């Protein structure tokens, strides 16, 4: 689901789970009344409550629109209808202004463009077009409604005053889909893009240890807790294909109380979704040791060891039911070859340094021959180490369902 606080609730019996990006209570239904079932129900509810409590931290998966609706005298209009439509998918969100004309529309799909229409009985509708929402930020609209009963002969309409801006909750760097598609990347990891954050120093932010960050993808924690990888994400930094990401937001010391669990940065990423238009891509990448430079400031470096990295991938998304049900698929295969050990034993005439070890080749040979002849034990290679090959398959499947204007459901599979 889009909001991870909804969680994955797997128990026997019926369970009502929350939709629409907001955590709600989870209820058990039709449990037998015997003692054992009551004990199991109590344990399940305790575990679910713990999961909901822990997943409320640092969840940034959507955007929002807020603002006020006033008349020409500046007085707030309570009860005005506000409708936002995500044009690529036809997804609709609605709300009603409250006392003072204030309205808030949370849980909106990031990106755009959006068209926002505000209506109120006796007033001309106000329409704002081409709004793009930033992940984790609130877009502000202050609408001044004009009466339809105005004597047009006595009034000259020069325009409608409206202030639109993005309300940020602290130092934030946003990497949108256009930047993901155009900025250069070497490792094809999100770390190549989060480095543009002014407070970043590699995978550290604001001077904090990189293990103190909190990284989420579609609201699910994906942290490099042990710091064993040089990237923000575990598994070599690429557990999800780069082309599957839609937007990334880096928050440093936000004052939004919904974000916590980190003292470095909260890195929130969301993956792509389908729209009313079929769209896709096919891509490939190849890199070997020839791409590594060997001349730096006039100094000739040793030739690098033989390596190979091949990537093949494709994405495809579109509508199942227009304006209602959408799908998105992403698949990628990465085949890498690199030497397990780059050091070589020092042979006659060679000088130790670089990838040449100080251990003589002849000595290693004598030791290896002795172990095999005396004990029948083969210690393995000691020079020209074999190449280490690895295959990495990344699959992502996502379905978005607009159940109603107030309820959305997202199901995602990633492997």
């Amino acid at each position: 689901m889009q909001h991870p606080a909804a969680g994955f609730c797997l128990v026997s019996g019926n369970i009502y789970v929350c939709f629409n990006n907001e955590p709600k209570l989870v209820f058990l239904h039709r449990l037998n009344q015997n003692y054992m079932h009551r004990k199991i129900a109590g344990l399940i509810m305790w575990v679910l409550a713990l999961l909901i409590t822990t997943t409320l931290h640092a969840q940034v998966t959507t955007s929002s629109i807020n603002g006020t609706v006033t008349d020409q005298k500046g007085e707030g209009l309570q009860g005005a209808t506000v409708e936002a439509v995500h044009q690529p998918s036809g997804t609709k969100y609605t709300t009603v202004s409250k006392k003072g004309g204030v309205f808030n529309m949370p849980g909106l799909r990031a990106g755009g463009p959006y068209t926002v229409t505000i209506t109120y009985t006796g007033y001309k509708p106000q329409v704002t077009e081409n709004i793009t929402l930033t992940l984790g930020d609130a877009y502000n609209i202050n609408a001044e409604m004009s009466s339809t009963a105005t004597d047009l002969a006595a009034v000259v309409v020069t325009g409608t005053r409206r202030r639109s801006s993005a309300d940020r909750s602290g130092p934030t760097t946003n990497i949108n889909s256009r930047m993901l598609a155009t900025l250069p990347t070497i490792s094809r990891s999100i770390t190549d893009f989060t480095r543009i954050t002014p407070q970043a120093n590699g995978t550290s932010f604001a001077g904090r240890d990189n293990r103190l960050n909190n990284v989420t993808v579609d609201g699910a924690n994906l942290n490099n807790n042990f710091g064993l990888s040089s990237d923000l994400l575990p598994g070599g930094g690429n557990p999800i294909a780069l082309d599957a990401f839609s937007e990334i937001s880096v928050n440093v010391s936000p004052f939004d109380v919904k974000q916590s669990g980190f003292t470095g940065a909260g890195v929130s990423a969301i993956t792509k979704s389908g729209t009313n238009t079929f769209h896709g891509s096919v891509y490939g990448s190849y890199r070997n040791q020839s791409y590594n430079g060997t001349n730096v400031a006039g100094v000739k470096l040793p030739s690098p060891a033989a390596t190979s990295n091949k990537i093949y991938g494709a994405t495809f998304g579109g509508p199942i039911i227009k304006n209602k049900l959408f799908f998105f698929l992403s698949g990628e295969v990465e085949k890498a070859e690199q030497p397990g050990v780059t050091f070589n034993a020092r042979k006659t005439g060679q000088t130790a340094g670089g990838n040449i070890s100080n251990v003589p080749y002849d000595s290693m040979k004598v030791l290896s021959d002795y172990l095999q002849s005396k004990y029948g034990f083969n210690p393995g290679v000691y020079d020209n180490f074999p190449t280490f090959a690895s295959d990495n398959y990344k699959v992502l499947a996502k379905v978005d369902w607009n159940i109603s204007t107030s309820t959305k459901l997202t199901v995602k599979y990633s492997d």
Side-chain angles (χ1 to χ4, degrees), residues 113-137:
Y114 276 85
T115 296
V116 177
T117 304
I118 302 175
T119 57
Y120 191 80
T121 303
Y123 290 83
K124 296 178 181 178
Q126 298 292 319
V127 180
T128 305
E129 298 179 332
N130 297 321
I131 294 176
T132 300
L133 302 184
T134 302
L135 177 64
D137 286 332

Side-chain angles (χ1 to χ4, degrees), residues 24-206:
K24 294 182 175 64
L25 293 178
V26 180
F27 296 99
L28 281 167
H29 185 52
R30 287 201 324 225
L31 281 174
N32 294 335
Q33 298 301 312
N34 60 50
Y35 175 78
M36 181 59 70
H37 280 194
R38 288 199 303 271
K39 293 291 287 183
I40 293 175
L43 177 62
I44 291 173
M45 293 302 293
W46 181 84
V47 172
L48 291 177
L50 179 62
L51 289 173
I52 291 174
T53 301
T54 55
T55 54
L56 286 176
H57 299 302
Q59 307 301 340
V60 180
T61 60
T62 58
S63 301
S64 61
I65 296 177
N66 57 31
T68 57
V69 183
T70 61
D71 59 18
Q72 292 175 308
K73 296 180 181 179
E75 296 180 358
L77 296 177
Q78 183 177 353
T81 300
V82 183
E83 180 185 78
V85 179
H86 182 254
Q87 295 299 323
S89 65
T91 306
K92 294 182 180 180
Y93 306 86
T94 60
T95 189
V96 177
S97 63
K98 299 178 175 59
K99 185 178 180 180
V102 177
F103 69 88
N104 181 36
M105 195 179 295
L108 274 65
R109 184 171 170 173
Y114 276 85
T115 296
V116 177
T117 304
I118 302 175
T119 57
Y120 191 80
T121 303
Y123 290 83
K124 296 178 181 178
Q126 298 292 319
V127 180
T128 305
E129 298 179 332
N130 297 321
I131 294 176
T132 300
L133 302 184
T134 302
L135 177 64
D137 286 332
Y139 193 93
N140 183 268
I141 297 177
N142 290 341
E144 182 183 287
M145 308 291 286
S146 58
S147 174
T148 58
T150 303
D151 183 3
L152 297 180
V155 176
V156 177
V157 179
T158 57
T160 302
R161 187 181 67 177
R162 178 184 291 111
R163 179 177 62 85
S164 300
S165 64
D167 293 337
R168 297 187 179 276
S169 60
T172 302
T173 299
N174 183 268
I175 301 103
N176 56 34
S177 57
R178 181 182 61 83
M179 298 171 68
L180 288 172
T182 56
L183 290 178
T185 174
I186 297 176
S187 65
R188 292 187 57 80
S189 170
I190 66 172
T191 307
D192 286 339
F193 300 92
T194 58
R195 288 193 179 101
I196 68 175
T197 303
Q199 298 86 359
N201 180 14
T203 57
S204 300
F205 298 86

